[in-house]
Amino acid sequence: MYIDRIIIENFRNYTSLDIGLSNDVNVFYGNNGQGKTNLIEAIYYNTIGKSFRNTKDADIITNFDNKDHFKIITSVKNDITEEIYINYNKNKEKFIKVNGLYLRKLGQLMGNMLSVIFSPDDMNLIKEGPSVRRKFMDIAISQIRPTYYFDLIKYNKILFQKNNLLKSIKYGKISEYDDILSVWNAQLSEAGSSVISARYEFINIISETASRKNMNISFRSSKKEENLTLLYKTDVSCDIVDFKDKKSIENELLLLMNERKAKEIERETALYGPHRDDIEFRLNDCDLRKFGSQGQIRTAVLSVKLAELETAEKISGRKPVLLLDDVLSELDEDRRRAFVSNIGDVQAFISCTDMDSVHIKDRNIRFFNINSGHVV
């Protein structure tokens, strides 16, 4: 699978753009603030229907000449997906078409085009709190198993209802609550078991691959073999449940919720379930977040992204596109060479300030000079 053309209208600083792309490596280069990241963002947007920059859709529309919408069209080759079209307007309406057919729900976009992105903000995957790591799992799994997205939506809706109930109980708005709370617990544990099972499987697969990638990059850059491990942390214990058996997970979650109703009522929130999950990164059996150097953390994130790329292809049977937003320039020469040698034969999009910084052996590279929202 590769993208051979992208059309953009009123997206960030691009009023109009229509370019053909290489099926191998595409490099967007130019000075800072010219629109290189915006192009990477547009490609990613058509993967999941959202930006990776934690911004509102309305803020993406070109902010001059009173534009009222943005549009992105990606043409895809060698795949079941041939074209993805997204149009968003200021009335907060988003229209999505895949192969000419309108999608009723955003979740139906998942899996039509696969992409893995690595940007400077991805260092937060290890440095920041659990919500960042849960988001990483959710986006990665949703692309390769689109049903997971709907499992997650279902879980979050039930969680919202249960939390409202707990608040009502705490402040005396509901006196007889045992039966109704038990119903919500049963529904929440059932929905949560699907989320936990998928996350456990994903982290187990990606951990093995990331460990191999990290060993390779760290040895080439520092001549040290560093063992990276990813551990999935959830409320149910692997000593008690079989993570391949959703019913086993469901029963254990339900037991936790029912046994500790009083605690949840007192806190006014659900305390058990996948909304509290995390990933622990360990390097040579030490907590990487607490004891890792900047270089070790960077290498670990590089390794995880490469593992995500390989895992997506392994599970889906389709090659994702790789999006690298201004990251190669932040790597030393040894890490850069080790990283690019592990990319594989996927289509890659790279943004950088200096075209000479991109050296990838045996690849056909097409360069695009970006200047003020134009390809020159």
Side-chain angles (χ1 to χ4, degrees):
M1 179 190 79
Y2 66 92
I3 302 169
D4 80 324
R5 183 184 180 194
I6 185 167
I7 300 171
I8 300 173
E9 186 176 292
N10 304 330
F11 187 94
R12 299 287 190 184
N13 67 330
Y14 291 92
T15 54
S16 180
L17 182 69
D18 183 347
I19 56 172
L21 301 163
S22 167
N23 64 357
D24 201 346
V25 177
N26 299 271
V27 176
F28 306 134
Y29 74 97
N31 294 331
N32 291 327
Q34 302 305 304
K36 304 182 301 295
T37 295
N38 297 343
L39 265 178
I40 297 288
E41 181 184 21
I43 296 169
Y44 183 81
Y45 195 101
N46 266 25
T47 302
I48 69 167
K50 295 179 181 179
S51 170
F52 68 87
R53 299 163 93 176
N54 295 320
T55 188
K56 295 179 180 178
D57 287 332
D59 296 333
I60 295 175
I61 300 173
T62 300
N63 61 2
F64 51 85
D65 293 337
N66 296 317
K67 303 299 183 182
D68 62 357
H69 76 284
F70 70 75
K71 180 172 67 177
I72 312 166
I73 303 173
T74 48
S75 174
V76 183
K77 297 295 184 183
N78 292 351
D79 196 64
I80 55 176
T81 302
E82 296 176 351
E83 182 183 271
I84 297 176
Y85 166 101
I86 297 182
N87 187 305
Y88 174 85
N89 61 47
K90 283 190 174 179
N91 293 326
K92 298 184 178 180
E93 296 173 318
K94 187 179 295 183
F95 302 98
I96 304 173
K97 288 193 294 185
V98 174
N99 298 341
L101 300 175
Y102 279 102
L103 305 185
R104 292 177 57 249
K105 297 179 179 179
L106 178 63
Q108 294 172 326
L109 179 63
M110 295 295 178
N112 281 285
M113 184 172 74
L114 307 179
S115 71
V116 172
I117 187 165
F118 182 29
S119 72
D121 286 345
D122 281 313
M123 293 294 289
N124 294 333
L125 183 61
I126 294 175
K127 293 180 176 180
E128 296 296 325
S131 63
V132 176
R133 292 179 282 279
R134 288 194 295 270
K135 182 179 179 180
F136 161 71
M137 288 190 286
D138 292 341
I139 292 176
I141 301 171
S142 292
Q143 288 193 65
I144 56 181
R145 298 193 189 280
T147 55
Y148 173 86
Y149 178 87
F150 294 102
D151 289 337
L152 192 64
I153 293 294
K154 180 181 178 181
Y155 177 83
N156 286 329
K157 285 182 178 178
I158 299 169
L159 178 64
F160 178 79
Q161 295 290 345
K162 178 181 172 178
N163 282 338
N164 282 341
L165 175 64
L166 291 170
K167 289 181 176 67
S168 296
I169 295 170
K170 171 72 179 291
Y171 294 104
K173 296 179 181 179
I174 298 176
S175 55
E176 300 293 331
Y177 57 81
D178 277 348
D179 289 344
I180 189 170
L181 185 54
S182 294
V183 169
W184 284 120
N185 283 346
Q187 292 185 17
L188 197 63
S189 58
E190 180 183 7
S193 66
S194 296
V195 176
I196 290 173
S197 179
R199 286 178 177 175
Y200 178 80
E201 179 189 16
F202 175 74
I203 294 301
N204 265 12
I205 295 172
I206 207 173
S207 178
E208 181 181 345
T209 308
S211 179
R212 175 166 38 88
K213 300 290 186 184
N214 191 84
M215 194 79 73
N216 179 276
I217 296 174
S218 62
F219 184 76
R220 290 185 62 172
S221 62
S222 63
K223 307 307 177 187
K224 296 179 182 178
E225 292 189 349
E226 297 180 328
N227 184 34
L228 175 69
T229 306
L230 278 65
L231 300 175
Y232 175 47
K233 312 296 286 186
T234 190
D235 288 319
V236 295
S237 170
C238 60
D239 296 329
I240 299 174
V241 305
D242 176 3
F243 282 92
K244 295 180 181 179
D245 179 9
K246 292 181 185 178
K247 195 65 181 178
S248 175
I249 301 171
E250 179 185 341
N251 291 339
E252 181 61 19
L253 266 181
L254 185 58
L255 183 64
L256 281 170
M257 294 175 189
N258 286 337
E259 283 185 343
R260 300 168 191 182
K261 288 180 182 179
K263 186 176 181 181
E264 290 193 323
I265 293 170
E266 178 60 30
R267 300 281 185 88
E268 305 172 38
T269 189
L271 299 174
Y272 307 97
H275 60 288
R276 294 170 54 84
D277 285 352
D278 200 357
I279 307 170
E280 183 179 341
F281 291 81
R282 301 194 68 80
L283 191 70
N284 297 333
D285 209 30
C286 293
D287 188 336
L288 182 58
R289 185 183 181 192
K290 294 180 180 178
F291 303 106
S293 68
Q294 189 78 358
Q296 287 172 327
I297 290 174
R298 188 178 300 279
T299 299
V301 175
L302 287 171
S303 302
V304 168
K305 289 295 177 176
L306 288 170
E308 181 187 354
L309 192 71
E310 190 172 306
T311 300
E313 182 178 357
K314 179 179 180 180
I315 293 177
S316 70
R318 302 159 65 210
K319 291 183 182 297
V321 299
L322 177 62
L323 308 172
L324 301 175
D325 179 33
D326 197 27
V327 292
L328 294 185
S329 61
E330 296 189 0
L331 304 177
D332 60 52
E333 186 64 25
D334 289 330
R335 279 192 174 86
R336 186 186 306 150
R337 288 180 178 177
F339 178 70
V340 298
S341 68
N342 278 274
I343 288 176
D345 60 350
V346 300
Q347 184 185 30
F349 296 88
I350 302 170
S351 71
C352 61
T353 55
D354 180 12
M355 61 185 292
D356 294 331
S357 67
V358 180
H359 299 287
I360 306 178
K361 290 183 178 180
D362 303 319
R363 301 294 295 268
N364 295 315
I365 305 177
R366 184 172 180 182
F367 291 93
F368 299 86
N369 184 7
I370 309 300
N371 190 315
S372 299
H374 296 87
V375 176
V376 296

